[in-house]
Amino acid sequence: MDSRIFYGLISVLIISTGFAFAQESLISVQTDDKNYDEGDTIVISGKVTTVIRETPVTLQLFTEGNLVDIAQITVAQDGTYSHTVIAEGPLWSKAGDYLVRVLYGEGNIAEYEFSFTPETESVVTTTNFEVDAGSHGTFDVEYTIKGGTVKNMIVDSDIFALIVQVDSTDEGVITLDLPREFIGAEKQDGKDDTFIILIDGVEVAYQESMVHSDSRVITINFEQGDSDIEIIGTYIVPEFGTIAMMILLVGIMATVILTRNKYQIKI
């Protein structure tokens, strides 16, 4: 074999092998979410496949090439590691993509990106929504939402619920001022009871911040991608029940009168 061909093959083999090794890093990294707002806690975690004794993970956090945070993290015996960062302070002033870079040993690097929105750029909407109650008119629900928009509010009288349909572009929160006249949760003695809150069919907790004589203010957290928030109480638009009962009574009375007239014996 020609020596030039032989050495050429050797060079290609070395380059290919080196490229393969460069592609296989001993370390991985991720965050617990893809989108964060100011004040959020960012959990950065990962794993190394081969633990190198007394070698920490070096973590660097960048935005637009500027260093935001740096840390050295101890690796557990099983190869896992984690680190938390609070997204606040003077270095967290820019919205956009942030890059997490971790280094371990010689040439082992992994990266992960997430987006960040400072408080000054977070979109918070506060307004009224006019809920359609069918033939019974409408009623207003005041709300504040962050992390999405309200598409619709629907009355479901069968389950005494107000269904809030949202377009959740990020994890967020919605606060609703529910008028007692139209929706509520009460015990038999008339005292307030808890609402049942379902998000896409899964029950979740909520916070009740204020209780007024004419309304109750509740706050619900949601995740990115959530769509239907069901607020289930013990009554929804009381007129539904009253009118339905009146129609039923009128129907029964009409049936009785017609029956008596049909079978009445004339002397």
Side-chain angles (χ1 to χ4, degrees):
M1 180 183 291
D2 190 301
S3 60
R4 289 176 297 175
I5 297 176
F6 175 76
Y7 286 116
L9 290 173
I10 292 295
S11 299
V12 170
L13 181 61
I14 292 172
I15 293 171
S16 301
T17 305
F19 179 76
F21 278 119
Q23 292 294 95
E24 296 177 3
S25 177
L26 295 180
I27 188 169
S28 64
V29 66
Q30 63 186 10
T31 59
D32 61 331
D33 200 353
K34 289 288 291 182
N35 304 284
Y36 296 95
D37 295 322
E38 186 171 349
D40 286 349
T41 298
I42 303 170
V43 181
I44 303 168
S45 62
K47 189 171 185 177
V48 298
T49 56
T50 302
V51 178
I52 304 173
R53 188 177 178 183
E54 296 182 356
T55 301
V57 170
T58 299
L59 180 147
Q60 298 171 327
L61 186 58
F62 298 93
T63 180
E64 298 180 353
N66 299 315
L67 186 64
V68 177
D69 193 15
I70 187 169
Q72 286 197 325
I73 311 164
T74 302
V75 179
Q77 291 183 350
D78 62 356
T80 60
Y81 69 91
S82 66
H83 180 68
T84 58
V85 178
I86 307 298
E88 61 183 10
L91 297 178
W92 293 85
S93 59
K94 294 183 178 180
D97 293 332
Y98 281 61
L99 175 70
V100 180
R101 178 180 295 154
V102 289
L103 304 94
Y104 187 68
E106 290 291 332
N108 298 297
I109 301 173
E111 296 180 340
Y112 193 84
E113 281 191 341
F114 63 85
S115 64
F116 169 74
T117 305
E119 192 69 33
T120 54
E121 298 190 26
S122 297
V123 178
V124 179
T125 302
T126 300
T127 187
N128 285 330
F129 193 96
E130 188 176 25
V131 181
D132 183 7
S135 60
H136 305 280
T138 62
F139 63 94
D140 290 338
V141 174
E142 183 179 346
Y143 72 90
T144 298
I145 188 169
K146 177 182 176 183
T149 56
V150 172
K151 296 164 56 180
N152 200 5
M153 293 191 191
I154 302 170
V155 169
D156 188 338
S157 57
D158 292 335
I159 58 173
F160 308 110
L162 178 68
I163 302 175
V164 182
Q165 296 178 336
V166 298
D167 180 12
S168 52
T169 55
D170 194 358
E171 64 177 22
V173 61
I174 184 169
T175 298
L176 299 135
D177 193 343
L178 303 174
R180 292 179 182 272
E181 181 181 356
F182 300 102
I183 181 172
E186 294 181 355
K187 300 176 183 178
Q188 290 185 347
D189 59 5
K191 294 182 179 180
D192 286 340
D193 201 352
T194 56
F195 290 100
I196 297 174
I197 309 297
L198 304 179
I199 297 183
D200 293 337
V202 179
E203 186 171 359
V204 299
Y206 72 95
Q207 299 82 43
E208 186 156 1
S209 54
M210 287 181 283
V211 178
H212 304 299
S213 59
D214 58 349
S215 69
R216 295 173 65 177
V217 180
I218 66 172
T219 299
I220 305 165
N221 295 311
F222 56 82
E223 299 294 330
Q224 183 178 9
D226 289 343
S227 57
D228 289 353
I229 302 174
E230 298 177 50
I231 304 162
I232 304 172
T234 56
Y235 67 87
I236 181 78
V237 191
E239 289 83 353
F240 283 158
T242 303
I243 292 176
M245 184 60 69
M246 289 175 62
I247 293 173
L248 179 61
L249 290 173
V250 170
I252 292 172
M253 290 176 64
T255 302
V256 170
I257 291 171
L258 289 172
T259 303
R260 292 177 66 181
N261 287 340
K262 182 177 180 180
Y263 292 101
Q264 185 175 13
I265 299 174
K266 294 184 179 180
I267 299 176

